Amino acid sequence: MRKKIVAGNWKMNTTVAEGVELAKAVAARSSEVPASVKLIIAPPFTHLVPVGEAIKGTGIGLSAQNCADKEKGAYTGEVAADMLVSAGCGYTILGHSERRQYYGETDAKLVEKVKIATAHGLSPIFCVGENLDEREAGRHFEVVTEQVKNVLYTLSAEDMAKVIIAYEPVWAIGTGKTATAEQAQEIHACIRKVVADKFGDLAGEITILYGGSCKPSNAKELFACPDIDGGLIGGAALKADDFIAIALSF
Ligand code: 13P
């Protein structure tokens, strides 16, 4: 049985004090969520240590939103994988479309990031997804397949086993437009097949999350799909009650 996960990507929101308060509110309700569902929260770098304290003992996982493609040294402004581990992270989001789009992250850079993250024992939450033009041109399967192949095919099976994949169609992020359960399921099945082509049966064990305007009102339908193992939640993760409601939607 693969893990069900609901992960909250806080993006660049909340002050440290607000973030700690949000984390405490999530922690206070986390025991309502069945043990079969793993909660993860991904606050900004500045919040990791105090948020880690706030969720201690709850089983909620702590994730970064990015990680450097270098081990250490003169790379001003970057945060290395071992620093994230020392701050209490077990996960890091990598390849989010906002990083690809606004910060020029390429597949080549993501190969380095995924390798470094897994080498330090972090589980990457590796994001893929097509933009609106690609969807309208009917290229969504092709785009997502290439993103998975270009980066994840470079991993050993041992490191691939640590990866969580998140399918986030760019046109659904923060727009209120959600992929239909059918649209999401067919891409998730495609991603699993692409993983299986390289890694065989391991593909059945890989958690694949849906992200993009996922909220309490649509999570149930999405999570009922056979290849959708949970969600990567943006806006709705900033409200503890909505985040918990999504986690109760399996
Ligand atoms: P929204 O849930 O705000 O659409 O964001 C999704 C996302 O990008 C999560 O990483």
Side-chain angles (χ1 to χ4, degrees):
M1 265 284 280
R2 38 179 190 267
K3 268 189 239 154
K4 292 176 180 158
I5 294 175
V6 173
N9 174 9
W10 295 4
K11 307 192 179 182
M12 198 171 73
N13 292 295
T14 73
T15 61
V16 174
E18 289 164 351
V20 168
E21 201 174 317
L22 174 57
K24 283 183 179 163
V26 172
R29 292 198 55 196
S30 60
S31 61
E32 295 171 39
V33 176
S36 55
V37 180
K38 175 85 179 167
L39 294 178
I40 298 173
I41 52 179
F45 288 134
T46 43
H47 304 28
L48 288 170
V49 171
V51 162
E53 284 295 316
I55 60 175
K56 214 177 196 156
T58 62
I60 300 172
L62 187 65
S63 177
Q65 299 176 14
N66 185 22
C67 146
D69 59 337
K70 302 284 195 300
E71 287 285 350
K72 66 176 199 171
Y75 301 102
T76 302
E78 290 294 308
V79 178
D82 69 341
M83 298 174 186
L84 298 177
V85 172
S86 72
C89 288
Y91 307 83
T92 182
I93 296 172
L94 288 176
H96 193 281
S97 62
E98 289 150 15
R99 303 250 13 126
R100 294 176 188 260
Q101 190 178 345
Y102 307 136
Y103 300 97
E105 284 198 6
T106 58
D107 286 346
K109 204 143 246 192
L110 288 168
V111 168
E112 300 307 315
K113 292 190 177 205
V114 167
K115 285 201 167 145
I116 284 186
T118 52
H120 287 276
L122 290 168
S123 280
I125 302 174
F126 178 68
C127 303
V128 297
E130 80 287 358
N131 64 32
L132 185 60
D133 288 347
E134 291 161 341
R135 163 72 56 173
E136 285 178 344
R139 294 186 51 232
H140 38 293
F141 290 107
E142 178 196 331
V143 168
V144 168
T145 297
E146 284 308 300
Q147 288 170 335
V148 170
K149 282 189 176 175
N150 289 346
V151 179
L152 300 183
Y153 273 24
T154 67
L155 291 178
S156 65
E158 191 192 337
D159 285 339
M160 183 63 206
K162 299 173 189 155
V163 174
I164 297 159
I165 298 175
Y167 168 59
E168 300 204 309
V170 178
W171 49 271
I173 296 177
T175 58
K177 277 188 213 157
T178 319
T180 64
E182 195 184 8
Q183 285 173 324
Q185 165 57 28
E186 64 183 8
I187 293 267
H188 280 234
C190 162
I191 291 170
R192 202 176 301 285
K193 165 84 171 57
V194 175
V195 173
D197 286 346
K198 168 83 176 169
F199 296 100
D201 290 347
L202 180 60
E205 306 294 318
I206 300 289
T207 297
I208 307 180
L209 308 178
Y210 169 79
S213 299
C214 186
K215 43 191 182 255
S217 59
N218 58 26
K220 213 175 198 75
E221 198 189 351
L222 288 159
F223 296 175
C225 297
D227 287 292
I228 301 181
D229 308 313
L232 180 56
I233 318 301
L238 297 172
K239 289 190 189 130
D241 288 343
D242 283 356
F243 186 60
I244 296 291
I246 291 169
L248 293 174
S249 299
F250 285 97

